[in-house]
Amino acid sequence: MREVPRADVLVIGGGATGAGVAWDAALRGFDVVLVERGDLAEGTSGRFHGLLHSGGRYVVKDPVAAEECVVENAILRRVIPDCIEDTGGLFVTTPDDDPAYGDRFLEGCRAAHLPAEEIDVAEALRREPRLNPAIRRAFTVPDASIDAWKTVWSFARGASAHGARILTYHRVVALHRTDGAVTGARVRNERTGEELDIEAGFTLNASGAWAAQILHMAGIEDVGVVPGKGIMIAMNHRLVNTVINRCTMPADGDILVPVRTVSIIGTTDIHSADPDQIPVTQAEVDQMLDDGERLVPRFREARALRVWAGVRPLFQDARAGAVGDTRDVSRTHAVIDHRERDGVDGLLTMSGGKLTTLRLMAEDLVDAMCAQLGTERPCHTAEERPPGNEDGEPYHLGSRLGRRERTLQEEQLICECELIGRRRLEEAMRARGSTNLDDFRRLLRLGMGPCQGGFCIYRATGILHGVDRLDGAEASASLRGFLQERWKGVWPILYGDQLRQARLDDWIFQGLLDVEHLPSEQEVAP
Ligand SMILES: Cc1cc2nc3c(=O)[nH]c(=O)nc-3n(C[C@H](O)[C@H](O)[C@H](O)COP(=O)(O)OP(=O)(O)OC[C@H]3O[C@@H](n4cnc5c(N)ncnc54)[C@H](O)[C@@H]3O)c2cc1C
């Protein structure tokens, strides 16, 4: 067993909340260790819809959540501009929606101090020509599109720069308890199988939809997570350049978000018993495509690239009664104080919330910890910019292309869809030291375009082989692992052009490279 590390604060979970908490606590001078069972943002944060909420979605049904979004939307634009594209948003009344809801919507926006304005339908159609011409009302709001991977990595890098240790692929398998207090955790390195004990002054549970599993390790059984599964489909280009919301009570398939070069329709909200078992069904795919038609006619004729599911960390305290529909659970967050609730010291859990409010969630959690520790350390995350955002320049769609054009002839292009050059890929491979090609997908968007890795991933495998000196068998296993992951998101939407693409990819990988029979003793490391 390795040397036992000691930290002031152990953060469990490397999603948006955990990364935000690590950044906040590190900025306040705490010595932090963050543990994540997989890669950063491999949980719900890397499987979300991409929307930086203006708050409009919640103004009628959940005004507290709306007000939080209004404030946090403005702060995140200031502190992590490189992670956000200012697309703006529209709420539109489709022929299936009640036009009178628009008045309640505007009233709610005023109460939440959300700057919304009704515009002529003709103006909305001028701005978004593919929008359903039968819409009856349209309102502008400051919605935006946010890149979760950039956000999480930026906060994690910031935390590291302030001394935090970020341990990916380290799963908490037990919590240590001394005299009724949580004093750290046993973690297992998922790559080597090695176990490690971490002593911590305080443990912050930011494991989202898995939080109840962690609490179970502390003997706390009656805080339940009500996992709300949602599916999303990425269409292969920007059908709209503005976030489009249906102007109605939150429902399924009522938001279309332009994210980089694609647009994403979502989502559903279905109770799921296990956050690790969230399969996509054909009925859900059909429902999503039909919902897309309401906003953009002939939506189904566009090319669907990929479908995936995520699971909302909606909490239900068993002491407060059972939950009905997961849509009725508030989207606000709450710190669960286990000293007060369960008589367990040294442990706090963050419950609920959304990616848009990650900074506020982190602030509330670290404030609650400081209060229990009896120390006053002010929060700086509303002013401090984490790495990658220092120049205050907001992301815009042409950023990557602009950079690429400056070095057009100097560098080999590896991933044409996402414009990733060889140098950037090699640097990332050296810096991360990972043998898992999927880690580089999350980091750089490798293989995320229309060909879903068809043309770039065998090149990237060769480069990984060279850079990391993997042997042939390990490189083959890594390639196969990547292809299997991509396939999961492609097969439920196989129709039209994407079916043709999948056949071509199949010919390349099965026909030319015979990947199924490449020598490989082991499957890819996690
Ligand atoms: C379908 C869908 C769409 C959404 N769309 C939006 C949106 O557009 N805008 C928005 O603001 N919000 C959205 N949300 C909500 C938002 O995505 C989540 O609230 C947010 O990402 C949760 O972040 P988190 O860090 O709390 O959880 P996660 O990102 O899930 O992080 C928790 C981490 O804990 C890790 N973990 C679990 N068990 C262990 C263990 N034993 N040891 C170590 N680590 C462990 C997991 O691997 C995971 O990475 C959406 C949610 C869903 C489901």
Side-chain angles (χ1 to χ4, degrees), residues 12-18 35-39 41-53 170-172 206-210 213-214 217 228-232 267-268 310-313 352-357 361:
I12 304 176
T17 310
V35 289
E36 161 57 51
R37 67 177 187 168
D39 193 14
E42 199 175 335
T44 307
S45 301
R47 300 168 170 275
F48 86 134
H49 201 168
L51 172 59
L52 181 71
H53 285 280
H170 280 72
R171 178 192 293 265
V172 172
S207 58
W210 292 267
Q213 296 176 7
I214 301 294
M217 299 177 197
K229 182 186 84 167
I231 76 148
M232 291 136 286
T267 166
T268 49
V311 59
R312 292 177 184 80
K354 61 191 78 56
L355 196 127
T356 302
T357 54
M361 291 160 72

Side-chain angles (χ1 to χ4, degrees), residues 313-377:
L314 305 176
F315 273 68
Q316 174 86 115
D317 194 332
R319 295 180 198 168
V323 71
D325 190 335
T326 46
R327 280 224 184 272
D328 293 334
V329 181
S330 171
R331 270 28 178 184
T332 52
H333 63 274
V335 175
I336 306 180
D337 181 338
H338 297 293
R339 172 188 279 179
E340 192 183 281
R341 188 185 180 281
D342 309 293
V344 175
D345 271 333
L347 175 69
L348 290 166
T349 294
M350 175 47 70
S351 72
K354 61 191 78 56
L355 196 127
T356 302
T357 54
L358 78 102
R359 193 212 62 83
L360 177 64
M361 291 160 72
E363 179 176 349
D364 288 351
L365 194 61
V366 181
D367 277 353
M369 177 182 75
C370 288
Q372 286 205 5
L373 292 172
T375 170
E376 266 189 45
R377 301 195 194 186

Side-chain angles (χ1 to χ4, degrees), residues 128-196:
E128 288 299 342
R130 287 177 192 257
L131 205 53
N132 187 342
I135 59 168
R136 288 181 280 180
R137 298 183 78 175
F139 307 86
T140 59
V141 292
D143 281 337
S145 156
I146 178 165
D147 184 320
W149 289 300
K150 265 182 158 181
T151 301
V152 170
W153 274 98
S154 176
F155 286 134
R157 284 197 190 105
S160 299
H162 285 77
R165 286 157 287 171
I166 309 288
L167 305 181
T168 53
Y169 295 103
H170 280 72
R171 178 192 293 265
V172 172
V173 290
L175 289 182
H176 298 315
R177 288 188 66 174
T178 314
D179 299 331
V182 171
T183 52
R186 169 160 288 213
V187 298
R188 186 177 62 228
N189 183 329
E190 295 286 85
R191 288 187 160 138
T192 62
E194 185 188 18
E195 295 202 341
L196 185 70

Side-chain angles (χ1 to χ4, degrees), residues 399-426:
S399 304
R400 261 193 188 184
L401 186 58
R403 273 201 303 272
R404 176 70 202 164
E405 277 177 342
R406 286 198 290 276
T407 58
L408 212 50
Q409 307 300 329
E410 295 161 25
E411 199 192 359
Q412 190 186 355
L413 194 55
I414 304 301
C415 175
E416 287 94 344
C417 303
E418 297 290 345
L419 297 174
I420 301 166
R422 183 172 188 130
R423 203 162 38 231
R424 189 131 182 260
L425 186 60
E426 285 182 345

